[in-house]
Amino acid sequence: MSVTIKDVAREAGVSVATVSRVLNGSTNVSENSTKLVKDTIKKLNYSPNFLGRNLRKRATNVILVIMPTTDHSLYMKIVAGMQVYANKVGYDIITASSYSTSSVEIRQMNMLFNRTVDGVVLLGTSYNAETLNSLAENYDIALCCEGVEGADVLTVTVNDEQAAYDAVCALIKKGHRKIAFIGTEVSAVSSSQRESGYLRALEDHRIPINPDYIYKGTYDYWHGGIAMEHFASLEDRPTAVFAISDILAMNAIRKACELGMKVGSDISIMGFDNITMCEMMNPTVSTVEQPCARMGELVVQKLIDNFSSSNKDNKYYTVEHKIILRESTGD
């Protein structure tokens, strides 16, 4: 049979409470007793049940990050930022992919409900605002990268509307007035806000909105190519394209090249996110940079603060984006 804490206390001739204090690193134990308990633990080869002990304390020092997919370097950059901060303060980050499936996400959230983890960060979620607000009353959760409209939950993102506005303005500054848009029909807040930023930039510069220049599909890679085929088929082609993700922009670039266009001169294309592949593409991709590491660091910092606070921080934090111009816009 495995050795228990009671066995250690009996062998050392101390109380179970004393053994527990030593295991927890308490200073309220004499040096002699501490040494005696540690020697006895070593002698009996006792392994404390830290998981059980932490669950009783309702603390595991573990944060779960649920992301829609592990294939996106954007998410992995955010997680890297989380890990840097978490390691500094003695926390661990574990990750899971929901595959954008609500049933999978709900199953993974059970780790929070049964207190296997202290908190959860959602990089995109199928939960609506009402459900998130209800969960936040009893559990420590946060949203990062993708907010949910109406959710009174700790959230860290860029200002998607302003970032898209700035990206389109950068194209306008380069002389473009025929600017197309590649978006999605997905009801994500970031998607709709980026479209709003595109439309505001055109309106502010008195550029007529051409419905033929607006294509909406999904976030899947190939929709960038389908959009570009559509734009190329128009009698009055756009001279620039703003896509709400780098993945869509990259396939738009690939298709434009297939159609004989010179990207950067015949047509300029800009994405959003600044994923690793942007600098590896030929041509390199102009984009909006999300400060992933900073987002990850900030959301974990605020979430950990909430663990020990009776006044939860449910603010909406935005971090600064950056416009990066590369070869795909002639830079």
Side-chain angles (χ1 to χ4, degrees), residues 248-265:
L248 292 171
M250 287 175 182
N251 205 24
I253 290 172
R254 182 191 64 79
K255 179 56 67 173
C257 292
E258 282 184 6
L259 295 172
M261 300 183 210
K262 186 174 182 181
V263 176
S265 56

Side-chain angles (χ1 to χ4, degrees), residues 174 264 284 286 325-331:
K174 294 176 78 61
T284 54
S286 296
L325 300 179
R326 298 192 179 104
E327 295 170 347
S328 68
T329 53
D331 296 275

Side-chain angles (χ1 to χ4, degrees), residues 237-292:
R237 293 182 177 182
T239 62
V241 175
F242 168 63
I244 64 168
S245 81
D246 290 333
I247 297 296
L248 292 171
M250 287 175 182
N251 205 24
I253 290 172
R254 182 191 64 79
K255 179 56 67 173
C257 292
E258 282 184 6
L259 295 172
M261 300 183 210
K262 186 174 182 181
V263 176
S265 56
D266 295 338
I267 190 163
S268 292
I269 300 175
M270 179 174 287
F272 198 114
D273 289 333
N274 195 30
I275 63 175
T276 304
M277 285 293 294
C278 285
E279 293 184 275
M280 300 170 67
M281 282 279 290
N282 183 18
T284 54
V285 184
S286 296
T287 186
V288 179
E289 180 180 62
Q290 297 200 62
C292 298

Side-chain angles (χ1 to χ4, degrees), residues 106 113 126-137 141 151 153:
I106 292 169
F113 304 152
S126 61
Y127 289 125
N128 58 27
E130 182 180 2
T131 301
L132 288 169
N133 292 338
S134 178
L135 289 173
E137 292 178 4
I141 61 175
V153 175

Side-chain angles (χ1 to χ4, degrees), residues 11-24:
E11 180 70 19
V14 298
S15 67
V16 170
T18 297
V19 177
S20 180
R21 291 191 192 100
V22 173
L23 290 171
N24 283 294

